[in-house]
Amino acid sequence: MQGLGKRIQKCREKAGMTQEALAERVGISWNYLGAIEREVKTPKLATLVKIINALEVSADDVMLDVLRVGRKARCTKLEEKLQSLPDKKQDKILRILDFLIEEERK
């Protein structure tokens, strides 16, 4: 489950929430949430679902690093790789993808 805690932390920070605020919404202690984010503890499924719902994100957003499959997870990883390239190379790849998508629609 490596990466799960870091994703929870990123989603929480993106939502502008403190550990205390998220923990309160979920009904857990902020110490426990901190341990989850540091990946010292792994939450039970019910707790994980509460965290995801409290953050108002998709499961893919939180579980990106631990899921082997999932369209959104794969697209997010591809997007991260694409963004690491120079603009000209990004444009080239996007044109290729546009072409392939249009071909598939025919």
Side-chain angles (χ1 to χ4, degrees):
M1 297 295 271
Q2 192 172 10
L4 179 67
K6 298 298 177 203
R7 287 281 173 186
I8 290 171
Q9 181 181 12
K10 283 182 184 180
C11 290
R12 176 183 58 75
E13 290 171 349
K14 187 175 180 181
M17 295 174 72
T18 63
Q19 282 184 337
E20 293 83 2
L22 178 57
E24 186 176 323
R25 281 190 187 183
V26 175
I28 59 176
S29 73
W30 65 269
N31 285 333
Y32 180 53
L33 178 59
I36 292 169
E37 288 185 357
R38 289 188 313 278
E39 299 181 349
V40 174
K41 299 208 178 229
T42 302
K44 291 184 179 181
L45 179 60
T47 303
L48 180 59
V49 169
K50 288 178 184 179
I51 290 170
I52 291 167
N53 285 332
L55 291 169
E56 297 180 356
V57 296
S58 76
D60 280 354
D61 291 332
V62 172
M63 301 183 75
L64 176 64
D65 298 313
V66 295
L67 293 176
R68 282 198 265 171
V69 192
R71 252 182 242 136
K72 186 171 182 180
R74 288 195 328 248
C75 288
T76 301
K77 283 190 176 195
L78 285 172
E79 182 180 14
E80 288 172 359
K81 288 179 182 179
L82 183 63
Q83 288 176 347
S84 70
L85 297 174
D87 288 346
K88 284 186 177 184
K89 290 189 178 190
Q90 285 183 35
D91 291 341
K92 179 181 178 181
I93 291 169
L94 290 171
R95 284 193 306 273
I96 292 168
L97 286 173
D98 282 339
F99 173 78
L100 291 172
I101 290 168
E102 289 305 315
E103 286 298 307
E104 287 298 316
R105 288 185 177 160
K106 291 181 181 179

